[in-house]
Structures are given as C-alpha cells and as structure tokens.
Amino acid sequence: MAVAVPMAEATRRFTSEPRKLLIGGEWRAALSGKTFETYDPATGAVLATVAEGDAQDIDLAVAAARRALDGPWGRLNPSERGRIVHRIGDLIMEHADELAELESLDNGKPKAVAAAADIPLAADLFWYMAGWATKLNGGTINPSVPYMPGAEFHAYTLREPVGVVGQIIPWNFPLLMAAWKLGPALTTGCTVVLKPAEQTPLSALRLAELMLEAGVPDGVVNVVPGYGETAGAALAAHPDVDKVAFTGSTEVGKLIAQTATGNLKRVSLELGGKSPNIVFSDADVDAAIAGAAQGIFFNQGEVCSAGSRLYVQEDQFDRVVEGISTAASNIKVGHGLDPSTEMGPLVSQEQFDRVTRYLSIGEQEGNRATAGGSAIEGDGWFVQPTVLVDATADHTIVREEVFGPVIAAMPFSDVDDLARQANDSAYGLAAGVWTRDISKAHLLAKKIKAGTVHINSYHVFSAELPFGGYKQSGWGREMGEEVLNNYMETKSVIVGL
Ligand code: ADP
Ligand code: MG
C-alpha cells in the first residue's frame, strides 16, 4: 500500500513544521512544551508534529475567547459577521485541493472522496450559515397577564449569543465537523475554543489560518489540539465556558454531560448510532443494494449514521446479500492519495483494534462473512469491507456500534413487527427505507425513532437539513435552522405602558 502519488508542495510545507495552538490570534507552543504526532493511517508513518494543549492552554484560550466576545466581535453588525462567515466558505473552496489532500493524509479517507464530499460540504455549511446572520430576529409579543387586569405592555424577545463555546470534535470528518460546529457559533456571534481530535488535528489548524485570512478577529476562534482526557475534559469542565458542543462516542458524550453540570453550561451532543437500513421486496432492489453498500462502506464505515443493520424482506434476502457482498469485494482499498482508491484505512491503530475485535466477536457468536471478514495484511490500518449474515437481534454485531466497514444483514418476514425491530436499539440517529410503496415508506418514517430517515436514498447530508439523534444518539440537532438554537439564549423584554 505504498503512496502512489507524492504529496503536493502546500501539504509538504504544512506537515513539515511543528503545528502550534491558535490562542488569541497567535500561534503558540503548548505551555508544557509538549507535542504529539499524527500518522498517515495508510502507512503508520509519522505525518506531522503538533503542540499538545492541556488544561493550562485551555484556560488561556477560554480567556481569549471571553475577551473577544466582549470586544470587537460583539460589536460587529450581523451583515459584517455574515460576510466574514461567507468568506470562510470561499477560502475553503479556493484551497479545496490542498484541504482534501491534508484530510486524506491525516484521516486515511480517499482524497477524491474528501474533494467530492467533505470539502464542499464544509464550504457550503459556512455559506448557508452566513445567510442566517442577518435573520436572527426575535418577535413582538402581546402578553395576557391575568392578575393585572387592564394593564398594557409592549414586549419583545431578543436572541443573544450564548457566549463562549467549547467545541470537541471527532476524527471521521475532521474539517466538516469543525465546519458544523464553527459555522453556527460564528453566525450567532459566539466565540469558540475548538478541540480537534488528537488523531486528525491538521485540517482544523489549516482552517484556522484561513479563518484569520477571512477576517475573523483575534480570539474569536481558538484551536487547541490535545487529548480528550486532558484538553477535552478541561474544556468541558471549564467554569467560564457557557456551552459545550460535542461530537463523538456515546461513552464520552455521557462524561461530557456529567462534567458540564459544574456550571450547568449548555450541552449539545451528536453521538453514536446503529442505524437500520430496510429493504422491502417491492423496492428497486438494485438501487437498494447500491444504497445499502454506500450506506455502510462510505468513509470506511466511520460514520455515526452508517446503515449498519440491514433488514431485507425474506424473498429478496439472498439477492441483496449477494449484491452487497459483490459490491464489498469489488471495493478497491488502498492509500487515499491513489486516485483509484475507493476505501482507505481506518484512522488509527486503536480503531483498527476495535473493528477487528468486533470481527472476532462476530465469528465467536456465529456470524458468517459473505464478504471480507478480516484485516488486510501489511502496513497501515486496513480492514476488508465486510458483510455478515446469520445474525440475530441479541448479537453484539447488531447491538453495538462498530464504526467500521461492517454490516449485519438479517431477513424479515413480519412487516408489522418491523418498526419494533428497527427501534430495538439504544441509538436513534438515522434509518433507511427502500420501497416503491409511498404510504408504507411514510408510515414507517413516522414510526422510526431516528433523527434522519432516508427513503430510497442514504447518507444525504446538506447544510439545510437538521441532523442529530433520538435516544442515546444525542441531544439537539446540527445544521439547518435548528442548530442556531444551540448557540442562542432568548431574552424576553417587557415594557409596562
Ligand atoms: P473515539 O473513541 O472514536 O476516538 P471519542 O468520543 O473518544 O471517540 O473522541 C471524540 C472527541 O472527544 C475527540 O476530540 C477526543 O479527544 C475527545 N474526548 C475523548 N475523551 C474525552 C473526555 N473524557 N472529555 C472530553 N473530550 C474527550
Ligand atoms: Mg475514545
């Protein structure tokens, strides 16, 4: 799996120097002087050295964010703020090729995938959010106060930024997750301390440079790479942070929620999933096969909303399993910079160990692989795209989030019981339904407890569509108009006339 294409000059420059923390508009080393390394997951080789922020650096960053909130950022008018946010999107697209390459090298995903999905989605998020900056209006309200007969009032609501926001993001879509978080925070006038995942800090650091270039004032966005247990935990616990927004594992999400009770900071969480993808016999079965394959294998399966439980109506089960197994076997796995690569390695040794452990648990519990089933020998953290059958509702592979290219396929016969099966999960992030019967599709969409239900489609992301989870998949929504509520307080002002 050698690198087929050498990295571009811009990437070489960015990765050859130790990267620093951005605090108050200055690039600085960690106070401890410590650094950590990021790796090219396709080779295991060191990619770059990055300053390792911890609690002391978080303190500095939070203080800088507080000063910026009380300073020039708070005084910009909405149109000015919106134009800066819009410019961030423009600069992302101007640097699209470089960002796609950086993302591919740090995360492992194919550069072509990053260029087609991650980068334009990130830009579009900023463009979409920019438009909201001038439309964050409150309302005029006419109060009825029973114990003040005859009294007249003029009342209105103000929508104000929640304040200093801590944002902790994962490694699966490093730039896009930064965009999902930063876009609404900036649009609403908040200031931010962002902690990227330790596996993939590079694109967020490059984005921070572009944000300064776009005119984001010093201290409005601070970026502190570091580990979760140190930098991340300090940010979630910080008494001067007004809100924490987290995307990552359900396990850590629960810790964040507990930690945040210290000062009762606002919390939004976008967590794990075990999403059902349901294929009825009356579907366009070939489209369903392609959609189910993309639903699990896109981004190496490292997607919280991956369709990892496949339910197929009995009489089409063999055909669908054969189709998705063929698709899995045909996927070209390789280095992300090789233009022919369709799937890259998993992000880290830890993630590789996690996915291969699930593959052996599946084998022990009697799941049979009709495609893949094991790691790929050699350098890098590669595993085979895998389809498992002989799975039942109590199996680990059906209950737990693998976060890798592994799907469990199960036949169903009882249509009336299907919603119960689909909802038989601690999670509720997404679902897919494949059928030509529109009323069946919409009825099921109502019954499924998930934040996103796809009908005859899967993995449709767009800045306009709210995204997030029911149950243990999280609190609140990302994107769309909805996300703005995560970043604003509403104030009622009442004038007695
Ligand atoms: P994974 O285990 O797949 O890496 P995590 O939920 O652990 O997913 O990581 C998502 C993000 O949460 C990363 O930025 C990570 O550093 C951070 N993180 C991990 N543990 C903690 C913690 N205890 N407190 C705050 N942030 C954390
Ligand atoms: Mg973890």
Side-chain angles (χ1 to χ4, degrees), residues 171 198-199 229 249 251-252 350:
W171 44 259
E198 56 270 33
Q199 296 84 353
E229 301 73 30
S249 61
E251 181 195 356
V252 174
E350 185 189 0

Side-chain angles (χ1 to χ4, degrees), residues 266-334:
R266 282 83 185 98
V267 180
S268 54
L269 303 170
E270 202 265 275
L271 309 176
K274 191 75 202 178
S275 298
N277 210 345
I278 300 161
V279 182
F280 288 97
S281 305
D282 61 10
D284 174 343
V285 174
D286 291 328
I289 290 168
Q294 186 244 5
I296 187 66
F297 299 129
F298 172 62
N299 210 52
Q300 300 75 240
E302 296 167 326
V303 186
C304 49
S305 54
S308 52
R309 291 185 284 146
L310 182 63
Y311 296 92
V312 185
Q313 200 158 9
E314 245 172 0
D315 59 335
Q316 292 296 325
F317 184 70
D318 291 344
R319 176 175 164 201
V320 171
V321 167
E322 195 192 319
I324 190 171
S325 303
T326 304
S329 308
N330 286 341
I331 290 173
K332 189 170 176 302
V333 181

Side-chain angles (χ1 to χ4, degrees), residues 75-88:
R75 289 196 289 272
L76 281 187
N77 71 39
S79 171
E80 290 166 327
R81 213 168 57 231
R83 275 177 279 154
I84 291 174
V85 174
H86 201 276
R87 214 173 299 137
I88 298 169

